[in-house]
Amino acid sequence: MKVQAGLDTCEGYANCVMAAPDVFSIDDEGVVVVLDEQPAEEQRSTVEEAVRSCPVLALTIVEG
Amino acid sequence: MANEASRHVVIVGASLAGLRTAEELRAAGFEGAITLVGKETHLPYDRPPLSKQVLTGARSAADVTLRGQADLDQLDVQLLLGRTATSVDHECVVLDNVDAVPYSDLVVATGVAARGLANQPSSDNVHVLRTLDDSIRLRDHLSRAGSLLVVGAGFIGAEVAAVARQQGLDVTMVEALAAPFARALGTQVGARCRQLHEDHGVRIVTDARVSSFVSSASGATLRLADGTALEADCVLVGVGTTTNQHWLSGVGLAGGSGVPCDTTGRVEGHRNVFAVGDVASWQNKTFGSPHRVEHWTNAVEQAHVLAHNLLDAPPPRSNHEVPYFWSDQYRTKLQLVGRPDLADTADLVELPGRPGRLLGMYFRSSRLVAAVTFNAPAVLARLRPLVATMTNEEAARATAAELVGIAA
Ligand SMILES: Cc1cc2nc3c(=O)[nH]c(=O)nc-3n(C[C@H](O)[C@H](O)[C@H](O)COP(=O)(O)OP(=O)(O)OC[C@H]3O[C@@H](n4cnc5c(N)ncnc54)[C@H](O)[C@@H]3O)c2cc1C
């Protein structure tokens, strides 16, 4: 699983950080930072929650 | 249960909870028919920006649409917009008192409506804020008003006050309780929120008893029981909500505050009726009593759980049992997890590093039931599992102390 974040789409809600703090962070400008671009399979449900909880749909999971 | 292809899921309420339920059903492989009914004529849109970016002009009405027409077409749902469910029985939902739509499964996603004050005048100068139309009207009015009066110190009032101050309006906030924001945040954290607004020049009047509320050509006047008269060009009433469930009397669900459900969204006593989002009161294993949550991610997570339940698939993992909410005021991002309303004690500390970073923890019988941060999402995220297990105070404080060094 690979995680992609649309930096132009991100509005800094930080809901992804709430769902998966080991995978996402927010920088001082309020833009998402992907801490772990290839999270382990055990992280799947939290990463999926992060994707769901982004109000502007800035996050995607790419399989493979 | 009828075989899947012959099922017809009718979802009433075409906003966040309704739309997400339709999407989750399709994502889970449901191939039967889905009808999504919504009273408003707009395509499903997002509400949090209505008290934030839409008012500042940073986002237009089109920018808050949740899904474009192409996405909705792809979802293969029959979308009936501008249609109101007026009644229901055990087989059909009736739209606009005339058209009966048969269902195999009914999903109630009708949300809540803004409550007004009993003596609130009907006037262009007096606003509530729940819909996109409300937000556009308020935005236009704020752009030409010199002063704003906010009645009710809750989140929506606080966010509108923040936008209005940033636009240079004189802002007064009136609250019936002794402590503003106390209903949502408790008195200690509420007091810090009050300070944030006072630092930005908002005048806050507490313990206010409204004795009269009248509008004029240029604004409105609120008189308080102690004789104070508060005048403003524009008034926003933000005193809470009422659930949109009156149409459910035919299935015995019109009464109370919220549609009572089990832990996965099935309505108590019904086999094929479900409820989701702001209108739904789900049983909660973590805190032990049914609870209705008017928060964005709650609707999203409940839709995820409910869709699996409706399809008799195993329930997925979800954090919905521990409510999560955010609010943006000035440059502060306030985030909250858990149930501050259950707490018997709470405290708030400044975090090191950048100024304006705070952590509050709420305890009930020395167990962590909620936590709030100002500008520190990573700290809050790591406390959430401790709220989910209602960790004891000593252990919670030890974890918090370790976390305090973490960059937000
Ligand atoms: C101004 C504002 C700011 C907010 N900010 C935040 C925030 O910062 N963070 C956060 O976590 N949450 C926030 N929220 C809360 C969040 O938006 C709600 O939790 C979310 O919208 C709930 O979705 P829902 O679909 O359950 O209900 P709703 O969004 O209320 O949707 C219900 C829909 O059902 C329709 N409907 C009602 N009755 C009928 C009927 N009889 N027939 C057909 N249709 C009907 C309504 O018209 C409406 O479109 C905010 C809400 C508002 C209003």
Side-chain angles (χ1 to χ4, degrees):
Chain A
M1 159 177 59
K2 239 184 120 183
V3 180
Q4 284 177 349
L7 302 186
D8 294 337
T9 320
C10 175
E11 295 254 349
Y13 282 95
N15 290 351
C16 55
V17 183
M18 287 304 302
D22 295 327
V23 181
F24 301 101
S25 174
I26 292 277
D27 68 16
D28 287 345
E29 307 295 305
V31 178
V32 63
V33 179
V34 181
L35 302 173
D36 181 357
E37 286 184 0
Q38 283 182 295
E41 201 51 36
E42 304 89 80
Q43 297 262 32
R44 180 173 290 274
S45 73
T46 58
V47 174
E48 284 177 352
E49 182 182 337
V51 172
R52 278 200 299 282
S53 66
C54 177
V56 291
L57 308 180
L59 306 175
T60 38
I61 294 175
V62 188
E63 299 301 337
Chain B
M1 188 89 19
N3 88 37
E4 195 176 277
S6 68
R7 280 173 89 171
H8 179 198
V9 179
V10 175
I11 304 170
V12 183
S15 182
L16 182 66
L19 173 69
R20 288 293 184 111
T21 300
E23 290 183 333
E24 291 283 353
L25 284 168
R26 290 293 183 231
F30 178 65
E31 289 178 353
I34 301 177
T35 298
L36 184 56
V37 183
K39 181 157 116 178
E40 298 177 71
T41 50
H42 302 287
L43 286 176
Y45 61 85
D46 210 18
R47 285 177 215 276
L50 303 184
S51 50
K52 311 174 184 76
Q53 300 95 324
V54 172
L55 295 182
T56 62
R59 286 171 79 178
S60 68
D63 282 342
V64 297
T65 300
L66 285 166
R67 301 292 180 270
Q69 190 62 55
D71 295 318
L72 292 165
D73 291 344
Q74 212 177 8
L75 200 57
D76 189 23
V77 298
Q78 187 185 18
L79 186 60
L80 302 178
L81 294 179
R83 305 298 308 270
T84 302
T86 45
S87 64
V88 62
D89 63 21
H90 293 284
E91 276 143 32
C92 295
V93 177
V94 176
L95 304 186
D96 302 309
N97 295 308
V98 273
D99 299 315
V101 181
Y103 65 84
S104 67
D105 304 85
L106 174 66
V107 179
V108 177
T110 41
V112 298
R115 191 146 39 99
L117 290 175
N119 54 357
Q120 181 174 325
S122 150
S123 154
D124 287 347
N125 300 328
V126 178
H127 302 256
V128 294
L129 179 51
R130 183 72 201 175
T131 66
L132 180 55
D133 296 345
D134 292 340
S135 178
I136 302 281
R137 245 177 18 95
L138 180 60
R139 178 196 71 191
D140 292 348
H141 196 181
L142 290 176
S143 72
R144 57 192 151 79
S147 56
L148 170 73
L149 181 63
V150 174
V151 183
F155 285 116
I156 288 180
E159 291 183 344
V160 175
V163 170
R165 278 304 300 144
Q166 286 166 318
Q167 294 177 345
L169 280 78
D170 281 325
V171 180
T172 303
M173 206 182 243
V174 187
E175 166 60 43
L177 297 181
F181 314 107
R183 244 182 285 260
L185 292 173
T187 48
Q188 294 88 341
V189 181
R192 187 61 188 76
C193 215
R194 172 187 199 142
Q195 194 190 325
L196 176 69
H197 286 274
E198 288 179 338
D199 288 349
H200 284 87
V202 176
R203 173 181 167 210
I204 298 185
V205 180
T206 52
D207 282 315
R209 297 278 164 280
V210 176
S211 62
S212 80
F213 189 177
V214 291
S215 63
S216 65
S218 62
T221 305
L222 198 71
R223 270 177 215 289
L224 305 182
D226 69 1
T228 315
L230 301 166
E231 273 176 73
D233 301 338
C234 178
V235 180
L236 171 76
V237 177
V239 294
T241 58
T242 51
T243 51
N244 294 323
Q245 62 184 117
H246 38 272
W247 61 282
L248 292 165
S249 60
V251 289
L253 296 170
S257 171
V259 177
C261 298
D262 67 10
T263 55
T264 56
R266 195 181 300 261
V267 176
E268 305 280 3
H270 292 256
R271 182 185 48 82
N272 61 341
V273 183
F274 301 81
V276 59
D278 282 10
V279 74
S281 179
W282 286 28
Q283 271 295 344
N284 187 302
K285 280 183 273 193
T286 305
F287 298 108
S289 56
H291 188 56
R292 207 167 57 70
V293 178
E294 293 184 26
H295 301 167
W296 195 95
T297 53
N298 174 67
V300 168
E301 291 306 297
Q302 285 188 340
H304 182 59
V305 172
L306 182 151
H308 288 76
N309 179 24
L310 193 152
L311 300 175
D312 294 319
R317 180 195 167 281
S318 166
N319 260 324
H320 74 275
E321 294 248 325
V322 184
Y324 161 64
F325 178 81
W326 78 89
S327 175
D328 299 314
Q329 300 169 28
Y330 309 99
R331 296 178 62 82
T332 294
K333 178 171 287 295
L334 189 152
Q335 292 169 294
L336 183 121
V337 291
R339 294 278 306 275
D341 57 307
L342 298 176
D344 45 40
T345 59
D347 53 52
L348 189 69
V349 294
E350 298 271 346
L351 298 178
R354 266 191 301 131
R357 295 175 71 225
L358 301 171
L359 166 65
M361 291 198 283
Y362 300 78
F363 297 95
R364 178 191 185 86
S365 309
S366 300
R367 296 195 155 264
L368 187 69
V369 288
V372 65
T373 52
F374 290 45
N375 300 319
V379 172
L380 192 68
R382 290 188 162 82
L383 285 174
R384 187 181 203 171
L386 278 65
V387 175
T389 50
M390 291 207 275
T391 300
N392 74 58
E393 182 163 350
E394 205 179 319
R397 288 198 189 281
T399 304
E402 272 170 41
L403 287 174
V404 155
I406 284 183

